[in-house]
């Protein structure tokens, strides 16, 4: 399918030239500000805000200047529907070049037979994956049975039958409160409207994924698609077992590694814990632990490649050439040995954070972590997730509230706080720093209590922090941040 081969050898990282990056952004902001000063101002403020916040949001990171600069280019101006070398528009040679580079890097990095780098986000990548599986498993055999080459050749009745079949398949994924994602068949997302969905959870006592339970549910439910992957589960998953289960019931295994792709890329998750060799289809975002531009990628086994490549225009709008180019840059970065050190540091930092919290009496879902995130049960502090999130934010610590398994406060107020280390690790934080972060978090939560609700009883949203704790914590957070500057040397003038 590739029209050309692009050299994707990785080079040692050029020493980051802070002066060149500063000059690039100073000039860019002058150009932007001359047209729309509000936007130039917001761009400046965003850097200041990012620099000043202790960011523990598990799904966020800081992309490199090379990745960011790649997006601000005229590769944005091209329409390039279709695939490499097979476009519905003329003059796509440079988009072909960057898309081939991104796909080659993705294939090499993840040892995947095929990579489709056009999805605009993780949700889009999952939608491409779902339709590729439906196309390969349902549509293609139906067309063959009916002796039709494509859907346009079907009679009105056959077309209606096929539509009914496509819309009546089953998917089995991890439940939301165990850490699964909305796009794994839940009602607010299109996947929940497309599929009959069932979910598996985690063990009531250990909080760990219970493979025997997944197997039992798969045998009972007989899904077309078995989905593995999460956004809030603090442990690794054995994908060899998940594939075994999928094979037993004739399901396609779809792994969504949106959160932990950086740990796969950085060779922390290897062997049975690397999803790519086991999954028929693997999806990811590129902006979380992988540290690239906002976007998605679909990896797959050869038999799904043709269907995956139909993503645009099946469910995706025209490819974003500038973002695909930035994916190529980020994936090239992830192939450097330094990225493996980064990935290892992410998990070392998460363990240090977990140990720091546990040693100060906190309760963690599953009792710890072996990935990039920690799920803290704030019920032991007498708080809801909403109160804990707000009190921490008042103290200069940015987190997000999250349900815990069988959450007594439901999905809005919740009883958990999700803490992730990819962003702070990019800034150069080490285990000692994360222990200090744990100390600050426990200090704030211990000093916070629910306020009285207007109707009597305790509020689930309002809270009070003991005098002086928020400002003292803020100062301590600033001290940590100053030791690990974000984009060191980048000066906007
Ligand atoms: C973040 C996430 C997504 C969605 O990614 P977007 O880029 O926000 O669309 C999908 N699946 C999982 C597991 C995620 O964590």
């Amino acid at each position: 399918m590739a029209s050309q081969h692009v050299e994707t050898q990785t080079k040692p990282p050029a020493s980051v030239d802070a002066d060149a990056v500063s000059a690039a952004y100073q000039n860019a902001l002058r150009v932007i500000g001359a047209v729309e000063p509000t936007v130039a101002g917001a761009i400046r403020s965003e850097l200041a805000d990012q620099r000043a916040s202790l960011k523990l949001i598990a799904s966020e990171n800081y992309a490199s200047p090379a990745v960011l600069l790649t997006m601000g280019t005229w590769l944005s101006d091209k329409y390039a529907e279709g695939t490499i070398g097979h476009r519905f528009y003329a003059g796509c040679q440079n988009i072909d070049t960057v898309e081939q580079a991104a796909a080659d890097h993705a294939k090499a990095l993840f040892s995947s037979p095929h990579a489709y780098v056009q999805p605009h986000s993780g949700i889009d990548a999952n939608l491409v994956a779902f339709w590729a599986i439906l196309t390969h498993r349902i549509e293609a055999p139906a067309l063959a049975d009916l002796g039709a080459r494509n859907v346009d050749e079907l009679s009105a009745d056959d077309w209606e039958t096929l539509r009914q079949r496509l819309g009546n398949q089953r998917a089995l994924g991890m439940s939301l409160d165990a850490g699964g994602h909305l796009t794994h068949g839940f009602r607010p997302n299109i996947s929940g409207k497309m599929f009959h969905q069932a979910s598996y959870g985690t063990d009531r006592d250990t909080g760990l994924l219970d493979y025997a339970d997944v197997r039992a549910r798969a045998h009972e439910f007989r899904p077309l698609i078995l989905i593995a992957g999460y956004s809030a589960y603090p442990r690794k998953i054995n994908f060899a077992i998940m594939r075994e289960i999928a094979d037993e019931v004739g399901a396609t295994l779809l792994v969504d590694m949106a959160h932990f792709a950086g740990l796969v890329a950085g060779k922390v998750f290897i062997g049975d814990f690397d999803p790519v060799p086991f999954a028929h289809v693997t999806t990811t975002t590129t902006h979380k632990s992988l540290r690239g531009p906002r976007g998605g990628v679909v990896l797959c086994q050869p038999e799904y490649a043709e269907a995956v490549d139909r993503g645009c225009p099946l469910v995706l709008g025209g490819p974003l050439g500038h973002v695909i180019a930035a994916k190529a840059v980020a994936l090239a970065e992830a192939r450097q040995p330094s990225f493996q050190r980064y990935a290892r540091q992410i998990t070392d930092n998460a363990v240090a954070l977990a140990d720091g919290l546990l040693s100060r009496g906190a309760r963690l879902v599953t009792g710890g972590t072996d990935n990039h995130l920690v799920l803290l049960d704030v019920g032991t502090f007498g708080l809801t997730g909403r109160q804990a999130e707000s009190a921490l934010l008042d103290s200069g610590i940015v987190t997000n509230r999250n349900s815990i398994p069988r959450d007594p406060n439901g999905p809005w107020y919740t009883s958990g706080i999700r803490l992730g280390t990819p962003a702070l690790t990019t800034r150069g934080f080490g285990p000692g720093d994360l222990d200090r972060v744990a100390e600050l978090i426990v200090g704030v939560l211990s000093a916070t209590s629910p306020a009285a609700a207007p109707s009597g009883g305790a509020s689930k949203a309002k809270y009070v922090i003991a005098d002086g704790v928020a400002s003292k914590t803020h100062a301590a957070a600033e001290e940590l941040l100053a030791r690990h500057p974000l984009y060191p040397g980048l000066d906007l003038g």
Side-chain angles (χ1 to χ4, degrees):
M1 206 155 303
S3 63
Q4 67 206 105
H5 181 74
V6 174
E7 192 53 60
T8 54
Q9 258 179 354
T10 52
K11 295 202 202 78
S15 64
V16 177
D17 184 344
D19 288 345
V21 175
S22 296
Y25 280 110
Q26 286 172 18
N27 287 319
L29 285 167
R30 200 177 317 141
V31 173
I32 296 163
V35 180
E36 199 358 327
T38 312
V39 169
I43 294 171
R44 283 176 181 279
S45 301
E46 184 60 25
L47 178 61
D49 292 353
Q50 299 262 352
R51 280 178 158 166
S53 80
L54 196 66
K55 180 152 89 174
L56 286 152
I57 295 183
S59 51
E60 293 188 8
N61 212 326
Y62 307 105
S64 73
V67 167
L68 297 176
L69 286 167
T70 303
M71 284 190 279
T73 61
W74 28 92
L75 292 170
S76 169
D77 294 334
K78 195 73 197 93
Y79 240 118
E81 281 178 0
T83 49
I84 301 161
H86 184 78
R87 306 285 186 183
F88 293 90
Y89 288 81
C92 295
Q93 58 280 2
N94 298 307
I95 305 296
D96 280 353
T97 300
V98 297
E99 186 169 342
Q100 187 70 57
D104 285 349
H105 281 310
K107 287 194 289 183
L109 178 64
F110 294 111
S111 304
S112 175
H114 186 71
Y116 181 65
V117 297
Q118 291 187 12
H120 311 322
S121 70
I123 288 189
D124 291 12
N126 283 343
L127 198 51
V128 169
F130 289 137
W131 279 101
I133 296 166
L134 288 169
T135 301
H136 180 72
R137 298 277 312 270
I138 306 296
E139 183 178 304
L143 289 175
D145 284 351
L146 295 163
R149 275 167 307 179
N150 60 54
V151 288
D152 289 333
E153 291 184 351
L154 296 179
S155 69
D157 282 353
D158 287 343
W159 173 234
E160 192 49 37
T161 306
L162 176 60
R163 282 184 356 102
Q164 292 288 333
R165 287 189 61 193
L166 288 169
N168 282 291
Q169 298 301 322
R170 290 184 293 273
L172 177 65
M174 190 181 230
S175 70
L176 273 184
D177 73 350
H181 194 261
L182 219 54
T183 56
H184 299 177
F186 295 94
R187 291 178 185 180
N189 178 256
I190 184 77
S191 57
K193 304 175 209 285
M194 280 164 54
F195 294 110
H196 297 296
Q197 197 264 12
S199 45
Y200 53 83
T202 47
D203 183 82
R204 189 175 274 278
D205 300 320
T206 62
L208 297 172
L209 184 55
D210 177 352
Y211 297 98
D213 182 57
V214 178
R215 174 171 275 121
R217 283 172 199 265
H219 279 264
E220 185 188 337
F221 188 59
R222 297 271 152 185
L224 179 79
I225 308 178
L226 175 62
I227 308 170
Y230 53 77
S231 354
Y233 178 67
R235 296 291 179 174
K236 51 190 180 184
I237 290 178
N238 185 318
F239 297 108
I241 300 179
M242 295 304 277
R243 174 61 187 260
E244 225 172 75
I245 296 170
D247 286 346
E248 285 166 17
V249 300
T252 296
L253 178 62
L254 169 62
V255 176
D256 178 353
M257 63 171 182
H259 253 261
F260 55 88
L263 302 181
V264 179
K267 312 293 178 226
V268 172
F269 286 178
I270 54 174
D272 291 352
F273 304 100
D274 173 357
V276 181
F278 298 104
H280 298 91
V281 184
T282 304
T283 57
T284 187
T285 60
T286 45
H287 49 276
K288 297 181 182 175
S289 55
L290 196 53
R291 207 162 64 177
R294 307 201 75 76
V297 168
V298 180
L299 307 171
C300 67
Q301 299 301 324
E303 66 270 27
Y304 286 90
E306 194 191 326
V308 163
D309 281 349
R310 292 193 206 173
C312 168
L314 179 66
V315 295
L316 297 176
L320 310 176
H322 56 312
V323 179
I324 292 171
K327 286 174 190 171
V329 174
L331 291 162
E333 289 175 348
R335 291 181 68 191
Q336 302 293 335
S338 58
F339 195 87
Q340 296 188 14
R341 290 195 292 277
Y342 167 63
R344 176 62 59 193
Q345 191 69 60
I346 288 175
T347 50
D348 287 352
N349 281 345
V351 168
L353 176 63
D355 288 349
L357 292 166
L358 290 168
S359 70
R360 293 174 178 90
R363 196 190 88 80
L364 306 181
V365 173
T366 78
T369 177
D370 36 40
N371 58 20
H372 63 297
L373 70 88
V374 168
L375 193 55
L376 170 62
D377 177 355
V378 295
T380 54
F381 295 95
L383 302 171
T384 64
R386 171 91 187 264
Q387 289 162 330
E389 173 192 88
S390 303
L392 290 169
L393 188 63
D394 292 347
S395 311
I397 302 174
V398 187
T399 65
N400 66 283
R401 66 182 186 279
N402 209 100
S403 297
I404 61 172
R406 291 164 281 274
D407 200 307
N409 288 316
W412 175 252
Y413 292 109
T414 81
S415 305
I417 288 288
R418 188 182 67 166
L419 306 165
T421 54
L424 292 183
T425 304
T426 295
R427 289 184 75 134
F429 277 58
D433 301 312
L434 270 297
D435 182 66
R436 176 79 174 127
V437 170
E439 185 184 4
L440 296 179
I441 290 172
V442 172
V444 171
L445 299 182
S446 307
T448 303
S449 41
S455 56
S459 168
K460 284 183 186 247
K462 298 204 165 61
Y463 58 95
V464 278
I465 312 177
D467 273 353
V469 172
S471 58
K472 226 178 67 196
T473 308
H474 233 294
E478 276 170 19
E479 199 182 289
L480 276 172
L481 293 168
R483 260 191 268 153
H484 302 291
L486 175 62
Y487 303 121
L490 169 55
D491 175 8
L492 298 186

